[in-house]
Amino acid sequence: MHLHTISENNSILNHFLAQIRDVNIQNDSMRFRKNIERIGEIMAYELSKTLEYKDIDVQTPLGIKHTTTIADHVVLCSILRAGLALHTGFMNIFDNAENGFVSAYRHHYNNDADFEILVEYQAAPSFENKNLIMIDPMLATGHSMVAVFNKLMAEETPKEIHIAVVIAAPEGIDYLKKNLPDNCHLWIAAIDEKLNEKNYIVPGLGDAGDLAYGSKL
């Protein structure tokens, strides 16, 4: 797996990452969503450097400009519901992309720490021979991402596979390396220390879905 960690060099990205982690700022859900969206735009820009481009001629009011444009077809696919704000950021950059959505959640069948990943809803276009970008803000154990990946890959094969997450735990990265193809690209804004006993990322930021859209039953 090809690993890309964007926050290794200081940029405005680190400013937005600090704000989404800050408990004194998190109670503003609109600001949280906007910062996740901004992070998505930055990640999309960095990812765009790896795509294929083609030469074109553009007619301006004063002449012809020889330039380039994206040649690849892009499909954005986010995991509901936490992935929506990050998805919006990517969509702001890849404005011609097709869009898909998949549900995945932890089902605690014994009401304890043990859980299974349930993938119950999928609405996605064809991504055969296209660049698929899978989007989810938090990569904890990695089980949700692998479950969604397996469901999506059951019938189609993309040209390239990119996975975009805001914060990842080392355990989740290792799980993806073991269970996904070697040619996948994993884009991460920041890598944190570890998972706690409940499989939440430490120091992390809490539950991204709840912070963006309110608590759930």
Side-chain angles (χ1 to χ4, degrees):
M1 177 172 288
H2 306 283
L3 185 62
H4 311 268
T5 307
I6 302 175
S7 62
E8 290 179 338
N9 298 315
N10 276 326
S11 73
I12 192 65
L13 171 68
N14 289 351
H15 176 76
F16 298 142
L17 284 169
Q19 290 193 352
I20 64 173
R21 295 181 189 270
D22 192 330
V23 295
N24 298 309
I25 298 176
Q26 287 184 340
N27 60 350
D28 186 341
S29 59
M30 178 182 287
R31 189 172 178 182
F32 182 87
R33 290 194 303 271
K34 187 62 180 178
N35 281 332
I36 292 287
E37 180 181 336
R38 289 165 167 169
I39 291 170
E41 292 174 348
I42 295 169
M43 296 184 75
Y45 168 73
E46 294 296 333
L47 190 155
S48 74
K49 298 176 184 178
T50 69
L51 300 179
E52 291 187 8
Y53 289 77
K54 61 183 178 182
D55 295 328
I56 61 169
D57 292 333
V58 175
Q59 177 70 59
T60 79
L62 301 175
I64 300 293
K65 174 59 181 177
H66 305 290
T67 185
T68 60
T69 190
I70 292 177
D72 281 326
H73 294 281
V74 175
V75 176
L76 307 175
C77 188
S78 65
I79 299 178
L80 299 173
R81 64 180 169 152
L84 291 176
L86 190 63
H87 186 111
T88 299
F90 272 81
M91 196 163 50
N92 290 344
I93 302 302
F94 297 116
D95 52 357
N96 290 323
E98 298 174 278
N99 297 272
F101 303 91
V102 180
S103 72
Y105 65 96
R106 296 180 179 183
H107 173 58
H108 296 267
Y109 43 85
N110 291 322
N111 294 319
D112 55 19
D114 295 328
F115 64 89
E116 61 179 337
I117 301 298
L118 296 183
V119 181
E120 297 183 338
Y121 173 82
Q122 175 181 337
S126 172
F127 49 82
E128 185 72 30
N129 202 33
K130 299 176 184 177
N131 285 261
L132 176 65
I133 304 176
M134 300 173 61
I135 299 168
D136 195 17
M138 309 296 284
L139 178 64
T141 66
H143 288 77
S144 293
M145 187 62 72
V146 170
V148 170
F149 176 89
N150 290 335
K151 182 174 179 61
L152 290 174
M153 298 302 134
E155 297 182 0
E156 296 192 313
T157 303
K159 175 184 175 182
E160 295 282 351
I161 302 166
H162 299 270
I163 297 170
V165 301
V166 176
I167 298 174
E171 295 91 334
I173 297 172
D174 290 341
Y175 189 77
L176 262 57
K177 287 180 177 178
K178 294 176 182 177
N179 291 277
L180 297 185
D182 291 339
N183 61 346
C184 287
H185 292 263
L186 177 57
W187 298 82
I188 302 172
I191 300 176
D192 276 11
E193 297 172 9
K194 61 181 180 179
L195 296 178
N196 65 13
E197 65 279 0
K198 294 184 178 180
N199 289 314
Y200 285 102
I201 302 173
V202 178
L205 52 76
D207 190 299
D210 287 357
L211 290 168
Y213 303 108
S215 59
K216 55 187 178 294
L217 294 177

